[in-house]
Amino acid sequence: MGKYDVINQALEGLKEQGLYNIIRRIDSAVGPWTVVDGKRVLNMCSNNYLGFANHERLKRAALRAVEEYGVGPAAVRSIAGTMSLHEELEKKLAAFKGTEDAVSFQSGFCANLAAIPAVAGKEAAIFTDQLNHASIIDGCRLTKAERVIFPHRDTEALKASLEEHKDKKVKLVITDGVFSMDGDLAPLPELVEAAEAHDALVLVDDAHGEGVLGSHGRGIVDHFELHGRVDMEVGTLSKAFGVVGGYVAGKREIVEYLRQQGRPFLFSSATTPADMAACIAAVEVLEQSDELVRALWDNTRYFKGEMAGLGFDTGASETPITPVMLGEAQLAWDFSKRLFEQGVFAQAIAYPTVPRGRARIRVMLSAGHSKQDLDYALEAFGKVGRELGVR
Ligand SMILES: *Cc1c(COP(=O)(O)O)cnc(C)c1O
């Protein structure tokens, strides 16, 4: 037995089960049209909701920051890595979200890994939706708290579990705001009410609500007008914001505690000046105008309506995430491959990311798509759908 045998067998296993990821390569800036594996294609699967990934104002801000502050802080936040740009972004984010304070991290993933273990110690119980994101699952795994997984969007089940654990000193309810594979929303008003009745903390992961829901894209808490009633909003700066990074916005003492105890804040180096400056510019663009958010929703309504007209099942999404339900994984992969040949980049998503038999193409709409772009995509979907006998 060689020491790599187990890994080699696991790789073979992934290939045999059809779970081996074929990774496409991006050869240009990410925009509505993107060069992928050397071919210019219509990009229908980046999380670039507002076109910020290649936005002029963000790029200029990043370039200026490099000139002034260099390329990296070369330290963790708590030792020598906190630059004025980090503080400025955090102030701007808190004001934008309408929270008392905010702290930024290297990614949304890191924000969950920071927040959940810091808040939920041994004496805590965590209540987490069955379909929550992997970073929430991993954040929970890093705690010694008791974990209760409640059925997807099931507030009654949550209430029963909260009642059952009412003696726990700390109770933490966690949900995705927008569920990333289906595009459905958490029933946040009901969840918050249940949590309040049991004195539980609430963390909502707004990765796909940021820049999408609420006034000017302020997110799901704004959408449901729950300001002040959600203790922690986890956000990402790498989806609608188009850059990289994450944050927790919420109650002053929680944010203060995360600056003291959030492990990615203490033990992993700070994000770069270019990242922070671009994110500051993104918040400013959103504060000044909701034009891009409105364009995103116009595109979403148009595309979903036309897809339904073509006979496609686009699931239960309430957001620009548009799952085109196909069923078997092989069909979804064939579909994606044929779309690519037609000049449309839209990736298939299958088990284990979604349940078996629920494979799909997940289309991500963007404010950057023009009406002609969407018509181009619709034509390709129609053509490939006919060829493969879908609908
Ligand atoms: C993408 C995503 C994350 C991770 O954010 P990154 O900034 O990419 O690390 C966390 N939570 C949810 C729900 C997500 O969709």
Side-chain angles (χ1 to χ4, degrees), residues 77 81-106 237 246-250 255-256 258-259 265 270-271 276 279-280 283 287:
R77 290 288 304 275
T82 297
M83 293 176 142
S84 39
L85 289 170
H86 295 97
E87 291 188 351
E88 187 182 342
L89 175 64
E90 289 166 355
K91 278 205 192 75
K92 278 225 145 69
L93 282 171
F96 178 66
K97 302 288 284 186
T99 59
E100 292 174 2
D101 202 355
V103 53
S104 68
F105 294 95
Q106 301 85 346
L237 302 167
Y247 66 89
V248 179
V255 172
E256 184 183 344
L258 294 180
R259 289 200 180 96
F265 190 92
T271 43
M276 295 299 94
C279 290
I280 291 167
V283 180
E287 270 174 344

Side-chain angles (χ1 to χ4, degrees), residues 292-322:
L292 291 171
V293 179
R294 281 193 282 112
L296 169 66
W297 281 97
D298 284 346
N299 282 348
T300 299
R301 276 185 289 271
Y302 177 72
F303 187 79
K304 282 185 176 173
E306 295 293 308
M307 284 294 278
L310 287 172
F312 285 105
D313 170 8
T314 56
S317 172
E318 301 165 70
T319 62
I321 296 173
T322 306

Side-chain angles (χ1 to χ4, degrees), residues 168-242:
K168 286 282 182 185
K169 206 161 130 205
V170 174
K171 294 177 277 290
L172 171 61
V173 176
I174 308 181
T175 187
D176 277 14
V178 177
F179 290 87
S180 49
M181 292 303 140
D182 293 296
D184 52 340
L185 297 190
L188 202 57
E190 291 80 14
L191 291 182
V192 166
E193 218 166 278
E196 283 172 345
H198 289 85
D199 232 357
L201 295 164
V202 177
L203 183 158
V204 57
D205 181 337
D206 206 19
H208 285 280
E210 223 76 71
V212 175
L213 296 173
S215 158
H216 293 239
R218 290 185 164 84
I220 192 167
V221 169
D222 188 82
H223 172 78
F224 284 121
E225 298 183 3
L226 293 167
H227 296 284
R229 295 173 66 190
V230 170
D231 305 283
M232 284 163 274
E233 289 175 64
V234 168
T236 172
L237 302 167
S238 34
K239 289 182 176 142
F241 279 76

Side-chain angles (χ1 to χ4, degrees), residues 255-275:
V255 172
E256 184 183 344
Y257 190 62
L258 294 180
R259 289 200 180 96
Q260 298 301 318
Q261 295 286 309
R263 291 173 69 84
F265 190 92
L266 302 176
F267 297 111
S268 182
S269 292
T271 43
T272 71
D275 296 327

